[in-house]
Amino acid sequence: MAQMESSLADAMSTIEGAVGVALVDYTSGMALATLGDNHALDLNVAAAGNTDVVRAKLRTMEMLELQGAIEDMLITLTSQYHLIRPVTGKNGSGLFLYLVLDRKRANLALARHRLARLEADLEV
C-alpha cells in the first residue's frame, strides 16, 4: 500500500498540472488509492464513472475482434485532460491509473510519458 501511495505522490509532484490521480479497480469500480484536490473533483466518483468508460472500450474491442490492449485513453475537456492507463504488471490485472490534468498548465506529451513510467514501476 505504501508503494501505491508513494507512486501517486510522485505523479502529483512530478507531472506538471496534475490535479488528481487514482489507482482504480475496474472490476468493482472502486478507487484503491487517490491523491489530489477533492475540491476540484471527487476522485472516487470519477473512478467509478471512468470504470464504465474502460469496460465499454474493452467490450467494443472484443465485439470488433481487435487484437492488442489499451495503452492509454485520453478524454479532453475544455479545462482538463483525463488520462486512463491500464496497469499491465503481473498483479495489475483489472486496474487502471487515472490522472486529471489542468489543461492550461499541463504538457500532455510529457504527462503521458511520466504516467507510462509510473505504471511500469508500480507494484501492486
Side-chain angles (χ1 to χ4, degrees), residues 1 3-4 7 23-24 32 87-97 118-124:
M1 187 64 131
Q3 200 273 341
M4 282 191 294
S7 293
L23 179 64
V24 184
L32 303 178
V87 177
T88 59
K90 64 181 178 179
N91 294 326
S93 181
L95 303 178
F96 67 88
L97 285 165
L118 186 147
E119 180 268 323
D121 294 340
L122 186 65
E123 293 179 19
V124 182

Side-chain angles (χ1 to χ4, degrees), residues 5-81:
E5 292 170 355
S6 174
S7 293
L8 297 185
D10 186 42
M12 290 298 293
S13 66
T14 64
I15 300 175
E16 184 68 28
V19 174
V21 63
L23 179 64
V24 184
D25 176 351
Y26 67 77
T27 58
S28 69
M30 301 291 289
L32 303 178
T34 64
L35 187 61
D37 182 359
N38 284 326
H39 291 96
L41 77 153
D42 185 330
L43 287 166
N44 289 306
V45 172
N50 283 294
T51 293
D52 293 336
V53 173
V54 172
R55 288 178 186 162
K57 187 59 188 174
L58 290 171
R59 274 193 314 272
T60 303
M61 289 174 63
E62 185 178 324
M63 289 186 309
L64 294 172
E65 298 179 4
L66 295 176
Q67 301 303 309
I70 298 170
E71 185 173 321
D72 65 23
M73 300 168 75
L74 170 65
I75 300 167
T76 305
L77 305 177
T78 55
S79 64
Q80 295 177 333
Y81 294 122

